[in-house]
Amino acid sequence: VTGFDLWGAVVATGVVCTFYCTLGGLKAVVWTDVFQVGIMIAGFSSVIIRAVVVQEGIGRIVNDSYYGGRLNFWDFNPNPLQRHTFWTIVIGGTFTWTSIYGINQSQVQRYIACKSRFHAKMSLYINLLGLWAILACAALCGLALYSIYKDCDPWMAKQVSALDQLMPYLVLDILHDFPGMPGLFVASAYSGTLSTVSSSINALAAVTVEDLIKPHFRSLSEKKLSWISMGMSLFYGGVCIGMAALASLLGALLQAALSIFGMVGGPLLGLFTLGILCSFANGIGAFVGLVTGFVISLWVGIGSQIYPPLPERTKPLYLSTAGCNISSENLMTTENPLTTVFNTPTAERPALADNWYSLSYLYFSTLGTLITVVVGIIISLLTGGLKQNTDRKFLLTKEDFLSNFSRSKSETKVEVLDSKRFTVAAEGTDNPAFSHIEMDVASDKNKVNGLHI
């Protein structure tokens, strides 16, 4: 849509992202993400503000969306084969987001980097506000997109070749008279890409070094491990660039991303849930449950890609070209892609295609979690379980929910570092891996014995 070469953009993004991940580590990833989320919201806001001006008010956008069937919140159909209903979004979305925020390494390593559980919780609440802002902006942009093109859909009119090109098409259409504004939106899209890829590269490198290399090569110094971590970042950056080729074959990227998160994250969430809730679960049960969950999740997920659900399951909405300035001949030969892209001849579809493979992609995570837990419990009981004495200090209590939101007196004490005593007040620190002290060679202010506090 923008005229950029696709693979040039992919490689450039991968190289830039790999560069700052390799040199800066987690600190670079976190600070670039902070900057990038500002760019993302700025890009969204520019589109929303201009669309409201073009449509002469947000009320018209909402009305068009309502009467066009784009604001259907109250579909309470309990059928799990229906693609989007109230229940698939609430239940399936809960499992998907819990796996993303609860057991995803790219998220968990950020919690571990916080100096206390209080700070980790506060970071999550701040993240929640940012997530709400991003999702609200994305939804408003989608409603504005429909309102502007309700009578002449660019996809139906063959102005774009993929659904993911609709938003850039809108930006170039309504912001072309404002220098720099289309570029701001492109920067916003790049920011979303970079923040996602950088977190993944950093998490993969950290896991590889800590769990696969460090335990087996204990003689390696911290400096050598640091160089190995940089090498892993380079390696995984190259892998991410290569995986972009596969992503181009998966259709709509949002659905593809959530499907992959569900297929992989669901069984992992089930594994953690099994360990947290079932003290009798043993290693055999956990392993068999995890493998079973993976196999079944991948089975239904890959099957749904090979045999996409029929239109009666996905319920594609009507798209109009009545207001387009195209010839009647083109209108007659133009088919609705929403009704053809999922239209596989029934004779070629196996019996599972219209039932098992038609499961809503939002339920992939739920399916994987439940299968892993149930199989893990059964196998653990059949293999004798695990007999252990549980220390009550490791059990969840009401203090875990309440005490971390009020700072105790002990947390407000401040001690000054001197040459005789190299200890610093806790100030809420209960993470043994966190250090208040870092080298600072740029400033002599507040420095004691070469250390900056």
Side-chain angles (χ1 to χ4, degrees), residues 20-33 105-114 198-199 202-203 206 229:
Y20 73 75
C21 285
T22 301
L23 295 184
L26 180 61
K27 195 169 187 178
V29 171
V30 171
W31 277 110
T32 50
D33 282 0
Q105 168 65 13
S106 62
Q107 293 289 336
V108 172
Q109 70 171 6
R110 296 171 186 238
Y111 312 151
I112 296 174
C114 296
S198 63
S199 300
N202 188 262
S229 178

Side-chain angles (χ1 to χ4, degrees), residues 122-254:
M122 290 308 298
S123 70
L124 268 173
Y125 281 108
I126 295 172
N127 177 278
L128 181 64
L129 296 177
L131 183 65
W132 280 347
I134 292 292
L135 293 179
C137 288
L140 281 173
C141 284
L143 298 180
L145 178 70
Y146 172 73
S147 178
I148 292 174
Y149 295 125
K150 65 181 185 297
D151 294 325
C152 181
D153 185 84
W155 192 30
M156 289 284 291
K158 306 297 185 182
Q159 300 297 316
V160 297
S161 58
L163 286 171
D164 292 323
Q165 296 178 358
L166 286 170
M167 187 53 66
Y169 181 87
L170 170 69
V171 171
L172 294 177
D173 187 13
I174 66 175
L175 293 175
H176 66 276
D177 292 332
F178 298 87
M181 287 294 102
L184 177 62
F185 181 81
V186 173
S188 175
Y190 269 94
S191 294
T193 305
L194 288 170
S195 62
T196 303
V197 176
S198 63
S199 300
S200 302
I201 291 174
N202 188 262
L204 287 165
V207 168
T208 303
V209 171
E210 290 294 327
D211 293 345
L212 300 180
I213 296 177
K214 199 172 180 180
H216 298 93
F217 300 93
R218 299 183 181 276
S219 60
L220 292 175
S221 64
E222 288 296 323
K223 186 175 182 180
K224 290 182 179 178
L225 287 172
S226 178
W227 280 106
I228 292 173
S229 178
M230 290 183 179
M232 288 294 101
S233 294
L234 283 173
F235 170 74
Y236 286 120
V239 171
C240 285
I241 295 173
M243 292 294 285
L246 291 178
S248 65
L249 303 175
L250 294 178
L253 289 182
L254 179 61

Side-chain angles (χ1 to χ4, degrees), residues 443-448 451-453:
S443 172
D444 292 329
K445 187 178 180 181
N446 297 329
K447 183 184 287 187
V448 179
L451 296 176
H452 177 76
I453 309 304

Side-chain angles (χ1 to χ4, degrees), residues 350-374:
L352 290 175
D354 296 331
N355 296 289
W356 181 241
Y357 295 154
S358 293
L359 182 72
S360 172
Y361 70 95
L362 290 170
Y363 276 137
F364 290 170
S365 181
T366 308
L367 177 68
T369 301
L370 296 179
I371 291 294
T372 301
V373 171
V374 171

Side-chain angles (χ1 to χ4, degrees), residues 110-126 399-408 411-412 426-431:
R110 296 171 186 238
Y111 312 151
I112 296 174
C114 296
K115 68 174 170 179
S116 70
R117 188 163 49 183
F118 173 81
H119 285 82
K121 286 187 175 183
M122 290 308 298
S123 70
L124 268 173
Y125 281 108
I126 295 172
E399 284 75 18
D400 290 308
F401 297 97
L402 301 176
S403 64
N404 288 287
F405 297 96
S406 61
R407 302 177 72 89
S408 62
E411 293 177 342
T412 60
E427 296 184 355
T429 301
D430 56 16
N431 182 357

